[in-house]
Amino acid sequence: MAAAARVSGWPIDLPIASPSILFAAAAVVLVAAVSSLVLPWMPAWFPAPISFPEYRDLVAADPALWQEVESHYRDQGGFTPALADRLAAAGPAGESVLIAHLLTRSIPFALLSARPSDDGQYQEAVWLREHAGPESRRLLARIAADDDVPPETRLEAVIALCDPRSREEAGSLFEVAADPCAPTAVRRAIVERAARLGGRAPPVLEELLTFGSRELAVSAAAALAAFGEAPLPSLLTEALRLPSCREDQVVVVAEAAAALASDSAAVRAAAGDAVRWHGRAAPEPMTFARWDGARENSRVVLADALAAWFAARPGSCDSPLERERREYLDGPVRAREKRCGNLEDILALPEEDLDLAAAILVAEGLPEEERDVTLASFDRLCRAISREIGDNSDSERVLEVLSRRLMSSPVRTKSSGRLADALLSGGGNCLSRTALVVSVARRLSLPICAVASPGHVFARFTGGRRRNLEPTEGGAEIPDRTY
């Protein structure tokens, strides 16, 4: 039993531990001390298991080499020239073991750049790009398409494969790029490196100009420019003019612009400046205000130079997508959007004159310049969906197209729920996806409305047989009682 002791000056009783309690405490301290000495060595004794059963046979290619590689990473902290030489000497077994290592770790996207010009940071992927044989390349293509593998590992597989030697795997990669269920970062990684595979521009790039999120569409336009094609020139120049354009995307567009307009000294110089200023650090020591001003200026200068290059070639601005854009800008849809200039204007409009997408973007506080570009991409999406549906009045076909095109991308539970974010980067949660589905339906005169339930929002088709469309489950039909 614990005795009670009176501490001088304290009006409380403190217990004095019995020997059994002291013994238990000493055992805990001893275990902690031993663990601190033993745990750092455990990865070498027991390497992290591969959590994907279909890939566990990779270690069997050379168990001793697997142990050696894991020990090297523990001791050296990373991929070194010595390890590269050791793997090269091991041949196909070395390739298998390195791929197995990639499957046991995950590098968060935030730690490394995903832009193509920074691929050198992914040393293992670059080594595999240069050394992988046909069997390893097929395996990497399987990993890149595997939804069970973390996006970071899939990205490394993509980097390893985007090379002319992987032409046989190109079809598999482009299927992933076209898959709305694949992570946006992986799709962008494939699109932005597509030109490295050589050959002709894959059809998926032009498809993504309309069906992809706005960021993915800009990446597709840049990829087409790298192939020497520009079916939607305005998309490149508009993206560069927006202050919200991501730095990595500015670099991708700048490099593509330099390749497309290689005969223009002005474009090449502006592209070089944009790449330098939007890189990881300023080219020279300076204050933040001066650096930020020069960075923004480089982006606008490149947009002006590229627009002038396109203007000098009128035929480049006469593609079907550009003609559709001009039709949109001069047509009644754009006129209706302009009437939604602010909340007062929206409240004063009769329902038949209200453009739902424009009204939502105004309510979300999107700046006017950003709103105009977002609405132009929304119009391209609506036109593409309308073409795919065609004159088909079958409700099953209509809902299948809407579900596949608007509700199949990965759900983001921490999303802001804004329609603007869903159009910009894809994904979204129940609120933003329902807003997108209902906005498209309103534009195409389809009988779909939004329904609110406690803590949730979903869409409802009211034409013919009424059915609920769950936006977070690919448009699956959910009965009322579930809500």
Side-chain angles (χ1 to χ4, degrees), residues 301-324:
V301 168
L302 175 57
D304 291 341
L306 190 57
W309 187 84
F310 283 127
R313 294 159 179 78
S316 66
C317 298
D318 197 36
S319 66
L321 286 175
E322 284 292 348
R323 289 195 294 272
E324 280 190 356

Side-chain angles (χ1 to χ4, degrees), residues 61-62 65 84-98 127-128 131-133 136:
D62 193 331
L65 180 60
D85 294 341
R86 176 71 182 89
L87 292 171
E95 300 164 17
S96 297
V97 166
L98 184 58
W127 186 91
L128 286 167
H131 295 85
S136 293

Side-chain angles (χ1 to χ4, degrees), residues 347-372:
L347 292 173
L349 284 173
E351 186 176 355
E352 60 271 15
D353 291 339
L354 179 69
D355 186 87
L356 184 59
I360 292 174
L361 294 177
V362 169
E364 292 175 349
L366 201 65
E368 184 177 357
E369 184 180 19
E370 186 96 13
R371 190 166 69 239
D372 290 345

Side-chain angles (χ1 to χ4, degrees), residues 308-354:
W309 187 84
F310 283 127
R313 294 159 179 78
S316 66
C317 298
D318 197 36
S319 66
L321 286 175
E322 284 292 348
R323 289 195 294 272
E324 280 190 356
R325 177 176 176 271
R326 289 194 294 272
E327 178 185 325
Y328 155 72
L329 292 175
D330 297 335
V333 170
R334 182 60 185 149
R336 192 163 57 248
E337 291 173 348
K338 288 180 177 179
R339 296 192 193 105
C340 302
N342 52 53
L343 290 176
E344 290 76 15
D345 293 341
I346 292 171
L347 292 173
L349 284 173
E351 186 176 355
E352 60 271 15
D353 291 339
L354 179 69

Side-chain angles (χ1 to χ4, degrees), residues 4-186:
R6 186 82 174 175
V7 178
S8 177
W10 285 33
I12 59 173
D13 290 329
L14 296 179
I16 297 177
S18 66
S20 60
I21 296 177
L22 292 174
F23 179 79
V28 170
V29 172
L30 180 62
V31 169
V34 172
S35 298
S36 66
L37 296 173
V38 172
L39 287 178
W41 295 85
M42 288 188 68
W45 300 336
F46 308 102
I50 297 179
S51 56
F52 315 104
E54 62 271 31
Y55 302 113
R56 285 179 183 158
D57 58 346
L58 293 172
V59 177
D62 193 331
L65 180 60
W66 165 253
Q67 295 276 355
E68 183 182 338
V69 167
E70 294 302 299
S71 297
H72 181 94
Y73 273 96
R74 177 185 57 78
D75 296 336
Q76 302 299 323
F79 193 79
T80 65
L83 179 58
D85 294 341
R86 176 71 182 89
L87 292 171
E95 300 164 17
S96 297
V97 166
L98 184 58
I99 294 173
H101 172 76
L102 296 182
L103 289 163
T104 64
R105 63 126 189 226
S106 180
I107 303 177
F109 280 130
L111 297 183
L112 295 175
S113 168
R115 68 181 65 145
S117 56
D118 291 335
D119 280 359
Q121 297 174 90
Y122 298 88
Q123 295 175 322
E124 293 89 347
V126 172
W127 186 91
L128 286 167
R129 182 194 299 166
E130 297 170 354
H131 295 85
E135 190 63 33
S136 293
R137 292 182 185 276
R138 284 191 288 272
L139 175 61
L140 287 166
R142 201 170 98 203
I143 291 172
D146 194 334
D147 291 334
D148 293 328
V149 174
E152 297 85 354
T153 307
R154 296 173 70 178
L155 172 63
E156 292 189 273
V158 168
I159 292 172
L161 286 172
C162 286
D163 180 84
R165 286 167 288 191
S166 299
R167 283 295 302 162
E168 291 186 7
E169 287 69 44
S172 174
L173 287 177
F174 293 140
E175 284 180 9
V176 176
D179 182 6
C181 297
T184 300
V186 175

Side-chain angles (χ1 to χ4, degrees), residues 261-479:
S262 58
D263 59 338
S264 170
V267 172
R268 292 201 311 273
D273 286 342
V275 170
R276 284 193 297 273
W277 287 107
H278 289 267
R280 289 184 164 272
E284 58 188 80
M286 60 181 63
T287 64
F288 175 79
R290 184 183 165 204
W291 170 76
D292 192 51
R295 184 170 59 94
E296 294 302 299
N297 183 64
S298 70
R299 179 172 49 75
V300 176
V301 168
L302 175 57
D304 291 341
L306 190 57
W309 187 84
F310 283 127
R313 294 159 179 78
S316 66
C317 298
D318 197 36
S319 66
L321 286 175
E322 284 292 348
R323 289 195 294 272
E324 280 190 356
R325 177 176 176 271
R326 289 194 294 272
E327 178 185 325
Y328 155 72
L329 292 175
D330 297 335
V333 170
R334 182 60 185 149
R336 192 163 57 248
E337 291 173 348
K338 288 180 177 179
R339 296 192 193 105
C340 302
N342 52 53
L343 290 176
E344 290 76 15
D345 293 341
I346 292 171
L347 292 173
L349 284 173
E351 186 176 355
E352 60 271 15
D353 291 339
L354 179 69
D355 186 87
L356 184 59
I360 292 174
L361 294 177
V362 169
E364 292 175 349
L366 201 65
E368 184 177 357
E369 184 180 19
E370 186 96 13
R371 190 166 69 239
D372 290 345
V373 174
T374 302
L375 286 170
S377 68
F378 176 75
D379 184 74
R380 286 195 301 273
L381 173 65
C382 291
R383 287 171 182 266
I385 290 177
S386 178
R387 280 194 297 269
E388 187 165 353
I389 293 174
D391 298 328
N392 197 325
S393 58
D394 179 22
S395 60
E396 295 296 333
R397 169 62 177 166
V398 171
L399 295 179
E400 186 275 327
V401 172
L402 292 178
S403 298
R404 176 164 43 86
R405 294 300 187 184
L406 304 178
M407 294 180 276
S408 296
S409 56
V411 177
R412 298 178 182 175
T413 55
K414 296 183 179 180
S415 170
S416 66
R418 298 168 72 237
L419 173 62
D421 293 337
L423 288 169
L424 175 64
S425 55
N429 57 18
C430 65
L431 180 59
S432 58
R433 283 194 177 182
T434 299
L436 177 59
V437 172
V438 175
S439 296
V440 170
R442 178 75 175 260
R443 178 70 60 88
L444 302 182
S445 301
L446 299 175
I448 295 178
C449 63
V451 180
S453 64
H456 189 56
V457 181
F458 60 95
R460 174 173 289 164
F461 179 76
T462 57
R465 184 175 69 86
R466 195 193 79 168
R467 67 196 76 180
N468 300 325
L469 307 174
E470 176 50 52
T472 62
E473 295 183 16
E477 182 178 355
I478 304 293

